[in-house]
Amino acid sequence: MSQLPKAPLLEVILELTWQSNSEAELKKYQLMVGALCSKLSELYEPPQFLLPDPNMPIVLAVGKPVYRCHRKGNPSQLFQVGPGLLSVNLVGNQYDWDSFLPEVMEVVKALNSEYDFNAQQGLGVNLKYVDFFPYDFTTRNDITQFINENFHIQIQADFFDDIKELGFRTGFVTPAGIFRMVINTAQITESKSLGIIIESQVNNMVPVNDHERFKEVICNSHDYLSDFFKKMTAGKLYESFK
């Protein structure tokens, strides 16, 4: 999934989540935000506030990004933080795991140094890839054929006729963690491009402050998702990304 010149990648997201809906945890979050952004200020731009209403109670933002910081000199690289949430994102297809991994480790290390986690607390870890495959499903009536031929997934029913929308979701346990995949027809807002969006991800839980375990988990997740992508697009479709 790395270093494909014509990769269909829209975004890669490494997400950490934790329980943060108590008053004590919300106070810790509010103290942490400024310290985290300050600690990473040599690498990242000042934070952008994301909530539509600055007077919105912070408890309503649990699990949602509240601040966003872009990497200096590379706005496609960013991190986002909110109560119970930290994500490291890379937007676009100029992606390489060997570059993304150190970025993740740097931001997560800063989080652990500035947030007073409970030693018994576990962190949810989610590595997700979002890919977009152009296809005008509004004017063509062979969308299931497109899916069957390109992604090695067989969708067939006699009562399907001229499908204009498609959604599919699945998940199962793997040695790398819980794998989930979602396929949807969609339109890219900026370009108005129509096509198929595929989200593939692996979810895990790791102990707080165990950096070696955290790194092992996300590397295993990356390996699994990379292998999955190659198998799913094997053939002419995968070759078209080179």
Side-chain angles (χ1 to χ4, degrees):
M1 221 181 310
S2 61
Q3 298 180 324
L4 286 172
K6 300 178 183 179
L9 187 66
L10 285 182
E11 188 172 8
V12 55
I13 306 163
L14 187 284
E15 188 177 77
L16 288 183
T17 59
W18 60 94
Q19 290 295 323
S20 188
N21 52 7
S22 69
E23 184 177 350
E25 289 294 325
L26 290 172
K27 286 181 179 178
K28 287 197 292 185
Y29 157 75
Q30 291 172 317
L31 292 172
M32 175 270 291
V33 169
L36 176 66
C37 295
S38 176
K39 191 174 187 68
L40 294 168
S41 61
E42 290 188 9
L43 299 175
Y44 285 85
E45 301 286 354
Q48 300 172 335
F49 187 69
L50 302 177
L51 297 183
D53 181 0
N55 297 314
M56 174 180 170
I58 196 64
V59 69
L60 298 180
V62 169
K64 299 176 183 177
V66 176
Y67 293 96
R68 175 183 296 154
C69 296
H70 289 273
R71 187 72 148 83
K72 291 181 177 179
N74 182 16
S76 65
Q77 177 75 59
L78 58 103
F79 75 85
Q80 301 182 127
V81 62
L85 171 73
L86 174 81
S87 72
V88 183
N89 309 50
L90 190 145
V91 180
N93 67 352
Q94 300 304 305
Y95 156 82
D96 176 66
W97 176 253
D98 291 336
S99 299
F100 184 67
L101 177 60
E103 201 79 29
V104 167
M105 298 305 295
E106 183 79 20
V107 175
V108 172
K109 181 181 177 181
L111 172 71
N112 279 325
S113 71
E114 300 301 333
Y115 194 91
D116 183 21
F117 284 110
N118 184 317
Q120 306 303 316
Q121 198 166 2
L123 294 177
V125 181
N126 177 26
L127 181 64
K128 177 191 291 187
Y129 290 89
V130 183
D131 295 292
F132 177 76
F133 305 88
Y135 181 82
D136 188 353
F137 50 82
T138 63
T139 61
R140 303 177 65 175
N141 60 6
D142 56 350
I143 189 170
T144 54
Q145 182 179 347
F146 179 81
I147 296 289
N148 295 347
E149 291 179 353
N150 288 284
F151 303 118
H152 306 280
I153 298 171
Q154 298 302 310
I155 300 175
Q156 185 175 357
D158 294 338
F159 47 83
F160 284 167
D161 183 33
D162 195 17
I163 295 175
K164 300 303 182 188
E165 293 183 5
L166 181 69
F168 174 78
R169 180 187 298 267
T170 189
F172 46 86
V173 177
T174 78
I178 299 174
F179 171 80
R180 292 185 172 93
M181 180 183 71
V182 178
I183 300 177
N184 281 306
T185 49
Q187 182 179 45
I188 303 299
T189 304
E190 295 82 1
S191 64
K192 307 298 182 183
S193 299
L194 299 171
I196 309 294
I197 284 183
I198 298 183
E199 298 181 7
S200 55
Q201 60 185 289
V202 173
N203 305 112
N204 280 282
M205 291 290 295
V206 299
V208 168
N209 296 326
D210 190 338
H211 295 286
E212 290 303 314
R213 177 58 181 158
F214 170 76
K215 185 176 181 180
E216 178 186 15
V217 163
I218 62 173
C219 285
N220 289 342
S221 298
H222 159 72
D223 290 343
Y224 183 89
L225 291 170
S226 179
D227 186 58
F228 163 78
F229 177 83
K230 291 173 183 176
K231 290 178 178 178
M232 180 184 68
T233 61
K236 291 182 180 180
L237 185 59
Y238 185 82
E239 293 301 315
S240 71
F241 306 142
K242 296 181 178 180

